């Protein structure tokens, strides 16, 4: 039986080799692209608040209880963009006796830089956070920005007191008085009270945040270092706030009847509840002076976006008269209607003025404070020079 021989395989031509090489090259390139995309999406967002906080946490000096050097106050400014009252703060810090007992941190609009072209004060040069985020009023981004400020300030173990201020805040005393006031107190000073009237508590927050722990207060706080660490370390309360504490959309006449539906939504302002509720949840109410250090003059009248509500009034040159400033500095107690509680302002059982700062102040009002010598000697004529 004759066995037929198999025909020899066709010879591999140069064209086949080139085609196969191209196929392999394309497959290899596609694999590299897929791998690169996977690694890109698996890495954390370097500009997200959560990543910035985790990176800051790793740099925080945790064992600073026995810190032996000069203790500092960290002044944390929450600004929309620039600091319009920088000339007043320049005088305040100029009379601080050197930079060994204070530090400055500013959360401003992303990309905004404080230098000779944007501020009159050398104390603010380069003090902006490099990882700032876009902030919306009444949104959780406000408390995320606050946490970034505290996290950055905690990196310096010398910072033992932390004061949160707005871009319209002014000091009512000189640096020495404020420094001694804060350093002698072992407590944080946080405006915190039961919120039983406004209905901002959302039952969906339970059981993580029970209603009995729900608190309200001014966002302008002063924390001791240990409490600032509690704020930065929180990974439980903040997610609940981001999900269930949201500002109701303002009335928009262009939306017509849709406004009726929108106004039925649950309304909650995160920055008026977050720190207070967090500290209450941490069983730290007993370690607080439950009041604020920042005076605000409230006006209960309609504004452009709401039919009613309390709104802070702005001090101008006329309303910042010495008599008014003196009245603010003489306040020695605060009454909390929801708790039927009178909070007498004391530090270590010693009666003290309630307020160290005030808001909202215009440039004209701030110039008057300087001319009256509230924060230290200053020649207001210098303000008449053109801005840098």
């Amino acid at each position: 039986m004759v066995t037929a021989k198999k025909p020899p395989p066709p010879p591999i031509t140069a064209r086949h080799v080139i085609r196969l090489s191209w196929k392999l090259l394309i497959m290899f390139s596609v694999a590299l692209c897929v791998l690169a995309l996977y690694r890109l999406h698996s890495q954390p967002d370097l500009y997200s608040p959560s990543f910035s906080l985790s990176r800051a946490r790793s740099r925080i000096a945790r064992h600073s209880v026995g810190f032996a050097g000069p203790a500092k106050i960290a002044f944390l400014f929450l600004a929309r963009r620039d600091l319009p009252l920088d000339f007043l703060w320049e005088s305040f810090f100029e009379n601080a006796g050197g930079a060994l007992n204070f530090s400055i941190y500013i959360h401003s609009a992303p990309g905004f830089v404080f230098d000779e072209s944007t501020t009159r004060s050398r104390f603010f040069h380069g003090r902006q956070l490099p990882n700032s985020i876009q902030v919306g009023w009444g949104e959780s981004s406000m408390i995320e920005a606050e946490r970034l400020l505290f996290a950055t300030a905690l990196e310096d173990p010398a910072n033992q007191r932390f004061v949160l201020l707005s871009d319209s805040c002014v000091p009512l005393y000189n640096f020495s008085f404020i420094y001694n006031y804060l350093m002698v107190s072992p407590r944080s000073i946080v405006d915190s009270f039961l919120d039983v009237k406004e209905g901002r508590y959302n039952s969906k927050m339970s059981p993580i945040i029970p209603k009995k722990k729900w608190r309200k207060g001014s966002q302008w706080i002063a924390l001791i270092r240990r409490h600032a660490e509690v704020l930065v370390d929180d990974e439980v309360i903040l997610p609940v706030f981001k999900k269930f504490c949201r500002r109701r959309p303002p009335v928009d006449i262009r939306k017509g009847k849709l406004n009726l539906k929108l106004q039925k939504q649950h309304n909650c302002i995160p920055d008026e509840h977050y720190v207070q509720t967090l500290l209450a949840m941490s069983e730290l109410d007993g370690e607080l002076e439950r009041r604020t250090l920042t005076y605000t003059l409230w006006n209960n009248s309609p504004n452009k976006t709401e039919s009613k509500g309390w709104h802070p009034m702005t001090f101008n040159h006329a309303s910042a008269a010495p008599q008014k400033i003196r009245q603010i500095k003489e306040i020695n107690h605060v009454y909390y209607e929801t708790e039927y509680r009178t909070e007498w302002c004391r530090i270590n059982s010693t009666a003290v003025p309630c307020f160290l700062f005030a808001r909202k102040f215009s440039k004209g009002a701030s110039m008057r404070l300087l001319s009256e010598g509230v924060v230290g000697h200053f020649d207001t004529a210098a303000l008449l020079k053109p801005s840098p």
Side-chain angles (χ1 to χ4, degrees), residues 68-89:
K72 294 182 181 180
I73 297 176
F75 290 86
L76 314 178
F77 289 91
L78 194 57
R80 296 174 180 84
R81 187 171 173 83
D82 63 346
L83 291 174
L85 308 183
D86 54 359
F87 56 87
L88 183 147
W89 287 102

Side-chain angles (χ1 to χ4, degrees), residues 172-173 324-331 353-355 374:
L172 297 175
Y173 298 89
K324 180 59 180 179
I325 302 302
R326 185 166 56 252
Q327 290 174 353
I328 296 173
K329 295 168 76 169
E330 289 175 352
I331 296 174
C354 289
F355 301 110
V374 172

Side-chain angles (χ1 to χ4, degrees), residues 168-230:
S168 66
C169 279
V170 299
L172 297 175
Y173 298 89
N174 60 30
F175 181 89
S176 177
F177 184 92
I178 291 177
Y179 182 89
N180 291 326
Y181 187 115
L182 292 173
M183 285 301 176
V184 76
S185 174
R187 296 169 174 259
S188 291
I189 303 176
V190 178
D191 187 38
S192 178
F193 55 91
L194 297 175
D195 180 27
V196 297
K197 288 189 174 181
E198 297 193 28
R200 290 184 178 179
Y201 177 78
N202 191 330
S203 59
K204 295 179 180 179
M205 296 179 177
S206 180
I208 297 177
I209 303 176
K211 190 173 183 179
K212 66 180 181 180
K213 294 293 185 180
W214 183 249
R215 300 289 187 272
K216 183 183 178 182
S218 168
Q219 76 178 110
W220 313 114
I221 58 178
L223 300 185
I224 62 174
R225 187 175 180 90
R226 186 166 63 86
H227 294 169
E229 291 175 352
V230 170

Side-chain angles (χ1 to χ4, degrees), residues 28-43:
F28 182 70
S29 300
V30 170
L32 283 179
C33 290
V34 172
L35 179 61
L37 285 172
Y38 172 78
R39 293 188 64 182
L40 179 64
H41 286 283
S42 63
Q43 289 180 345

